[in-house]
Amino acid sequence: MINIAIFASGNGSNAQKIIEHFKGNSLITVQLVLSNNKNAFVLERANNLGVITHVFTRSTFYESKEVLELLGHHKINFIVLAGFMWLIPKYLVKAFHKAIVNIHPALLPKYGGKGMYGDNVHRAVKEAGENESGITIHYVNEAYDEGDTIFQATCEISPSDTAQVIASKVHVLEYQHYPEVIESVIKKSFKNS
C-alpha cells in the first residue's frame, strides 16, 4: 500500500477530491492530512472523510524533525501539496526526493514564486492580458514553483473574464486532473515496489 500525506493550509477542496479519488483503492490511500493552520477547513473535510489530521507550527516544521517522524510513523511514501503555502524544508525534500508534488494555478514558469498563490496569481494573469491560463503539476524542490513539470492543462480566458472567473476555470482543471496525475505519478514511481 502506498500511503499519501496531503499538506494543505486552507479550504481543502482539492484535498477532498484527492481523498475521494483514492477511497476504495487497493494500492493507494490518503493516510494523513497535515496543516499549518489550525482553523483550516481542510481539517474538517478530512475528519468527515475519516482521514487522520495533524496541525504543526512554523518552529515544529522548520526547526525540528517532528513532521518527518510523524510521516514515518504513518508509513507515508508520497506527499501531495494542495494549497499549502509554506516552502518545503530541505530535510523533507531530501527524504521524499521525487515523491512530493504540488499543483500551481497557472502555467509555470510564468506567475510562480513566493507570494504567487490563489487570487494573486489570477489577478496577475488578468492584468497581463493573457488569453489562456491553466494548471501546472510539478515535483517540489527547495524553491517555490521551480520543480520539474509533470503535467499542464490550459483553459481559455476572454478579455471580460475577472480574476474570479479565471479562478473558477482553473479550479475545474484542478479537480479534473490533479487526482489522476497523482495516481499516474505514484504508479510509475512505485511500479517495482
Side-chain angles (χ1 to χ4, degrees):
M1 178 68 76
I2 303 302
N3 295 317
I4 296 173
I6 298 175
F7 284 63
S9 298
N11 183 39
S13 57
N14 269 314
Q16 180 172 336
K17 294 287 185 192
I18 294 161
I19 294 166
E20 291 171 344
H21 178 82
F22 289 109
K23 278 282 185 199
N25 188 306
S26 61
L27 302 174
I28 305 165
T29 187
V30 176
Q31 187 74 22
L32 194 59
V33 170
L34 297 97
S35 185
N36 58 325
N37 176 2
K38 65 180 171 47
N39 299 313
F41 190 60
V42 69
L43 299 169
E44 188 174 325
R45 289 180 189 264
N47 285 326
N48 291 340
L49 291 165
V51 176
I52 299 163
T53 61
H54 181 80
V55 177
F56 54 84
T57 64
R58 180 172 286 278
S59 62
T60 298
F61 195 51
Y62 290 110
E63 298 168 21
S64 80
K65 295 291 194 302
E66 185 180 308
V67 171
L68 185 60
E69 290 165 5
L70 181 73
L71 296 172
H73 175 75
H74 288 279
K75 298 180 172 43
I76 300 302
N77 312 90
F78 199 82
I79 296 172
V80 172
L81 308 185
F84 184 70
M85 300 303 154
W86 289 357
L87 189 66
I88 301 301
K90 290 179 182 181
Y91 73 85
L92 267 183
V93 172
K94 184 177 179 186
F96 288 88
H97 179 69
K98 291 284 190 186
I100 308 175
V101 296
N102 183 43
I103 189 165
H104 186 74
L107 299 171
L108 293 174
K110 289 183 176 182
Y111 312 109
K114 187 172 175 59
M116 292 304 283
Y117 58 87
D119 289 340
N120 295 345
V121 173
H122 306 306
R123 278 193 297 272
V125 169
K126 168 73 177 166
E127 288 166 9
E130 298 283 359
N131 60 9
E132 69 175 9
S133 190
I135 59 168
T136 302
I137 300 169
H138 63 92
Y139 288 108
V140 172
N141 64 14
E142 295 166 10
Y144 283 112
D145 303 323
E146 292 184 10
D148 293 341
T149 296
I150 298 165
F151 176 87
Q152 289 185 312
T154 62
C155 57
E156 289 185 13
I157 299 173
S158 70
S160 61
D161 286 350
T162 63
Q164 290 74 27
V165 169
I166 296 168
S168 67
K169 289 179 176 182
V170 169
H171 279 310
V172 169
L173 295 176
E174 290 174 346
Y175 302 153
Q176 179 183 356
H177 295 290
Y178 202 19
E180 287 83 3
V181 171
I182 292 164
E183 183 170 4
S184 172
V185 168
I186 288 173
K187 285 181 174 175
K188 286 178 189 167
S189 298
F190 296 95
K191 66 183 171 196
N192 297 322
S193 297

